[in-house]
Amino acid sequence: MRIIFLGPPGVGKGTQADFIAQSYGIPKLSTGDLLRESVAKETVLGKEAKGYMNRGELVPDTVVIGLVEEKLRSPDCQKGFLLDGFPRTVTQADRLSNYLTSRGEDLDRAVYFSLEKDEIVRRISGRRSCPECKAVYHIESIPPKQEGVCDVCGKSLVQRNDDKPETIESRLAVYQEQTAPLIEYYKAKNILGELDGAGLVSAVQDRLVALLASPRVE
Ligand code: AP5
């Protein structure tokens, strides 16, 4: 199964991605996680990406495409994958399509997560992440057992730099301008499925499993 997750920041893509990757036995590639890892390690790529990410802008296509293609060439991605947060521009989508065609493959599903703006802002503002094991919490909806401490590895939780109020609006604007056109792009390829991202994590998960199990509309 080759799947992409598409949708505004904070809609819950990452929260659902681990479960789906595990259920289908496919690797999850999150470009946000890969880029944050590069920033934390202060690699050349990380140094280039940092400013864009902190401003809520997209990292240049050339940088992200190279990163994803390198990962897709690895043996564990040969039987399928879940891309979380890629593609995010038409250029990225075209490159992915060409790359998969060169391998004689195609995407099976593009899942578009939708959610009202107020709830998106509430989710992003309350997100806390573990810098060590990458577990993600929400201070109200999905709190850790002990405030500020990761349930999984015990590290102190942090707020992402781009989750500050001043950056959220610019991320949403960038999404509308550069990523939202991909909804029509994948609709035209008959692989788009729209997922209502509202409600409990378990309810969204149930809808997502049903969507992925349903036949494509040809
Ligand atoms: P990235 O990390 O991909 O951020 P994003 O797409 O903006 O998505 P988020 O991680 O903000 O949200 P999410 O949808 O995964 O929500 P989550 O599950 O965490 O990208 C960051 C940056 O990297 C970009 O701005 C850009 O600079 C760069 N970048 C990345 N990919 C790129 C690309 N392809 N091209 C160029 N640049 C790129 O949930 C959010 C919160 O809600 C959490 O607190 C969670 O606990 C909570 N939550 C989740 N589900 C529920 C629920 N059902 N009910 C209540 N709370 C919930």
Side-chain angles (χ1 to χ4, degrees), residues 2-36:
R2 289 175 285 274
I3 311 167
I4 63 165
F5 279 2
L6 184 68
V11 74
K13 304 180 296 295
T15 300
Q16 300 295 336
D18 286 320
F19 169 77
I20 292 298
Q22 212 171 2
S23 311
Y24 281 85
I26 50 177
K28 176 199 88 168
L29 296 178
S30 156
T31 40
D33 284 349
L34 292 170
L35 289 166
R36 276 186 291 280

Side-chain angles (χ1 to χ4, degrees), residues 6-16 36 84-85 88 113-127 136-138 141-142 160 162-163 168 171-172 175 197-199 201 204:
L6 184 68
V11 74
K13 304 180 296 295
T15 300
Q16 300 295 336
R36 276 186 291 280
D84 169 18
R88 258 173 149 105
F113 287 61
S114 63
L115 191 62
E116 284 193 356
K117 185 182 168 187
D118 287 355
E119 175 64 4
I120 288 178
V121 173
R122 193 192 72 83
R123 287 189 186 179
I124 298 181
S125 315
R127 173 167 44 199
V136 174
Y137 302 86
H138 188 278
S141 318
I142 310 163
R160 271 169 46 178
D162 58 348
D163 281 352
I168 296 176
R171 285 169 67 197
L172 289 168
Y175 167 77
V201 171
V204 179

Side-chain angles (χ1 to χ4, degrees), residues 3-191:
I3 311 167
I4 63 165
F5 279 2
L6 184 68
V11 74
K13 304 180 296 295
T15 300
Q16 300 295 336
D18 286 320
F19 169 77
I20 292 298
Q22 212 171 2
S23 311
Y24 281 85
I26 50 177
K28 176 199 88 168
L29 296 178
S30 156
T31 40
D33 284 349
L34 292 170
L35 289 166
R36 276 186 291 280
E37 204 176 296
S38 303
V39 170
K41 287 183 181 160
E42 300 185 339
T43 63
V44 176
L45 191 153
K47 284 179 186 159
E48 185 177 354
K50 188 175 179 179
Y52 294 101
M53 294 175 79
N54 286 344
R55 289 191 298 274
E57 296 168 10
L58 294 185
V59 173
D61 285 335
T62 45
V63 175
V64 185
I65 289 167
L67 189 66
V68 171
E69 288 189 354
E70 187 193 320
K71 293 284 174 190
L72 289 180
R73 275 193 288 272
S74 69
D76 61 332
C77 287
Q78 303 313 304
K79 287 193 179 154
F81 51 77
L82 165 55
L83 288 172
D84 169 18
F86 182 94
R88 258 173 149 105
T89 63
V90 171
T91 303
Q92 291 178 16
D94 284 340
R95 276 294 294 264
L96 177 63
S97 172
N98 292 342
Y99 176 75
L100 292 176
T101 302
S102 75
R103 282 174 31 166
E105 297 171 353
D106 206 352
L107 288 173
D108 295 296
R109 274 301 167 104
V111 180
Y112 160 51
F113 287 61
S114 63
L115 191 62
E116 284 193 356
K117 185 182 168 187
D118 287 355
E119 175 64 4
I120 288 178
V121 173
R122 193 192 72 83
R123 287 189 186 179
I124 298 181
S125 315
R127 173 167 44 199
R128 297 293 181 273
S129 318
C130 177
E132 184 70 20
C133 72
K134 317 295 176 220
V136 174
Y137 302 86
H138 188 278
I139 52 173
E140 293 163 354
S141 318
I142 310 163
K145 292 190 185 86
Q146 188 186 341
E147 192 182 333
V149 179
C150 180
D151 291 348
V152 183
C153 69
K155 287 273 174 190
S156 293
L157 301 177
V158 295
Q159 184 173 32
R160 271 169 46 178
N161 275 336
D162 58 348
D163 281 352
K164 307 278 159 65
E166 58 275 21
T167 320
I168 296 176
E169 281 299 329
S170 62
R171 285 169 67 197
L172 289 168
V174 165
Y175 167 77
Q176 278 306 334
E177 190 188 322
Q178 300 191 58
T179 308
L182 294 182
I183 297 167
E184 289 304 319
Y185 181 101
Y186 286 113
K187 214 181 257 179
K189 289 180 182 281
N190 295 322
I191 60 166

